[in-house]
């Protein structure tokens, strides 16, 4: 089963799309953006959780890949 939250591969113009259960939450340019999108979606998070959770599927590179 896929993780309910996906951080998609970096786009050619910069940033990574973030989606939850198929709904696009926004275009993130760093981990702070991912945290904010998840907070707005009602997910209780912190920076360490975003980088190391099985609920996020990092596609096209991990949390250190942004371009």
């Amino acid at each position: 089963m896929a993780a309910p939250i996906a951080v998609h591969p970096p786009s050619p113009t910069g940033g990574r799309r973030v989606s939850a259960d198929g709904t696009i939450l926004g275009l993130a340019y760093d981990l702070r953006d991912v945290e904010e999108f998840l907070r707005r979606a009602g997910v209780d998070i912190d920076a360490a959780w975003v980088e190391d959770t099985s609920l996020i599927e990092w596609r096209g590179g991990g949390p250190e890949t942004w371009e």
Side-chain angles (χ1 to χ4, degrees), residues 11-49:
S11 74
T13 57
R16 297 177 75 169
R17 195 168 28 110
V18 179
S19 62
D21 293 323
T23 300
I24 296 172
L25 302 178
L27 187 64
Y29 291 91
D30 57 31
L31 283 176
R32 288 182 305 264
D33 291 341
V34 175
E35 293 169 29
E36 180 61 16
F37 295 148
L38 296 179
R39 186 192 66 74
R40 290 180 187 178
V43 179
D44 186 25
I45 53 87
D46 65 36
W49 184 88

